[in-house]
Amino acid sequence: MLNKSIKFLIENKLVAVILLALFVGWGIVNAPFNWETGILPTDPVAVDAIPDIGENQQIVFTKWQGRSPQDIE
């Protein structure tokens, strides 16, 4: 199926160029930048750029009779 799709796009260059233009336009419309696109509406995807700088923690469950969790830690 992939070979047939590639062969179709090679033989029909106009369809390939139109698909490329649609994908580029879609990317420009959804870009998270403040671009002035003119005729294209902008609907940027929200970007959460807050890094997670918290300490990495792992919870380990163990049994040690007579000891508190603070002693085991």
Side-chain angles (χ1 to χ4, degrees):
M1 179 172 164
L2 181 62
N3 289 338
K4 289 181 181 180
S5 300
I6 292 172
K7 183 179 178 184
F8 176 79
L9 291 174
I10 289 173
E11 292 173 355
N12 299 307
K13 291 181 176 47
L14 180 62
V15 174
V17 170
I18 291 172
L19 282 173
L20 176 67
L22 286 174
F23 281 122
V24 169
W26 184 29
I28 290 172
V29 167
N30 290 316
F33 309 112
N34 192 16
W35 289 341
E36 294 296 328
T37 58
I39 61 172
L40 293 175
T42 57
D43 187 23
V45 176
V47 176
D48 185 16
I50 300 171
D52 182 16
I53 57 173
E55 182 181 339
N56 293 334
Q57 297 180 359
Q58 295 179 356
I59 298 173
V60 178
F61 292 101
T62 183
K63 292 183 181 180
W64 191 1
Q65 298 297 330
R67 300 291 181 178
S68 68
Q70 288 79 17
D71 291 339
I72 295 173
E73 185 178 352

